């Protein structure tokens, strides 16, 4: 495993925030099942408690193992497993009481099976991670790691400065149950 990814994993497992590349922008996140780190991330991003977060998983199998309350039909499992042309975040029914910090006021968990090699490796080594653009609420998403460092200098424990994916826009968001496109590609 890449030394930088190992360092990032150590910080994530210690409950710290890490900046890392995704398919389109730099993300800032923590382990998805670390409530203390999630609260810290929400404060750092100045994110309203009503808004949910996106969870990155390395595979559909990791998603189902990490979130056993997710129940998918065979068709839904097939759909979430298919490689999409554009990065896709799926809204999946989920019991609110289990992950209120992730869900905000929503009754569906937002999950993306990441194809970005670095983000995927982080998930494989550490477990599902929260993916939120590396900018505080109301601030334009920075396009360079230098700008991200200025925004989160003392707030993130590690900056994984690797190449972004080639997606020109953030992930599309689709409701897995009814196919409704919430945010287009």
């Amino acid at each position: 495993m890449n030394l930088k990814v190992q360092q990032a994993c150590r910080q994530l497992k210690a409950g710290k925030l890490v900046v890392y590349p995704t398919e389109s922008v730099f993300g800032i996140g923590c382990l998805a099942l670390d409530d203390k780190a999630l609260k810290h991330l929400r404060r750092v991003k100045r994110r309203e408690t009503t808004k949910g977060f996106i969870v990155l998983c390395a595979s559909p199998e990791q998603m189902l193992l990490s979130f056993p309350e997710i129940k998918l039909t065979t068709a839904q499992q097939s759909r979430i497993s298919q490689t999409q042309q554009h990065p896709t975040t799926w809204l999946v029914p989920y019991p609110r009481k289990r992950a209120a910090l992730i869900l905000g006021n929503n009754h569906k968990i937002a999950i993306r099976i990441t194809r970005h090699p670095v983000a995927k490796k982080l998930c494989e080594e550490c477990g599902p991670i929260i993916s939120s653009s590396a900018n505080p609420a109301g601030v334009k998403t920075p396009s360079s790691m230098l700008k991200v460092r200025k925004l989160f200098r003392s707030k993130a424990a590690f900056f994984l400065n690797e190449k972004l994916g080639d997606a020109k826009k953030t992930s599309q968001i689709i409701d897995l149950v009814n196919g409704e496109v919430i945010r287009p590609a």
Side-chain angles (χ1 to χ4, degrees), residues 60 63-64 70-78 80 92-93 176:
M63 173 191 70
L64 293 171
I70 291 177
K71 305 296 181 216
L72 302 179
T73 66
T74 304
Q76 290 167 340
Q77 286 179 14
S78 175
I80 209 167
V92 181
L176 185 62

Side-chain angles (χ1 to χ4, degrees), residues 5 13 43 56-57 59 62 74 77 80 84 99 104 114 118 124 127 130 140 147 157 164 181:
V5 172
K13 289 177 180 177
R43 281 190 305 274
L56 290 186
C57 291
S59 66
Q62 182 182 57
T74 304
Q77 286 179 14
I80 209 167
Q84 303 293 316
T114 185
V118 174
E124 287 171 348
I130 294 297
K140 186 178 185 226
K147 291 177 182 176
L164 293 174
V181 177

Side-chain angles (χ1 to χ4, degrees), residues 1-37:
M1 176 177 30
N2 175 317
L3 180 60
K4 291 179 187 177
V5 172
Q6 285 179 345
Q7 292 171 313
C9 281
R10 273 197 296 280
Q11 296 299 326
L12 288 168
K13 289 177 180 177
K16 306 292 184 188
L17 303 184
V18 169
V19 172
Y20 56 90
T22 71
E23 294 87 347
S24 59
V25 297
F26 288 103
I28 185 168
C30 60
L31 292 181
L33 300 175
D34 183 334
D35 286 354
K36 186 176 178 185

Side-chain angles (χ1 to χ4, degrees), residues 157-173:
F158 194 79
F159 295 83
L160 192 51
N161 190 11
E162 297 287 335
K163 188 176 184 292
L164 293 174
D166 56 5
K168 303 295 182 224
K169 291 175 67 180
T170 55
S171 68
Q172 63 185 341
I173 299 176

Side-chain angles (χ1 to χ4, degrees), residues 44-117:
V44 164
K45 286 213 26 121
R46 298 184 300 227
R47 191 170 178 92
E48 298 172 28
T49 56
T50 57
K51 290 188 172 187
F53 285 111
I54 293 173
V55 176
L56 290 186
C57 291
S59 66
E61 295 76 22
Q62 182 182 57
M63 173 191 70
L64 293 171
L65 284 171
S66 301
F67 300 95
E69 298 85 354
I70 291 177
K71 305 296 181 216
L72 302 179
T73 66
T74 304
Q76 290 167 340
Q77 286 179 14
S78 175
R79 189 161 189 214
I80 209 167
S81 297
Q82 291 173 357
T83 301
Q84 303 293 316
Q85 186 175 11
H86 191 77
T88 302
T89 297
W90 298 99
L91 297 182
V92 181
Y94 198 73
R96 185 170 154 56
K97 64 181 185 272
R98 167 77 156 81
L101 291 171
I102 296 172
L103 298 175
N105 281 355
N106 304 300
H107 296 286
K108 294 182 179 177
I109 191 168
I111 294 190
R112 184 165 75 249
I113 308 304
T114 185
R115 294 182 297 184
H116 189 282

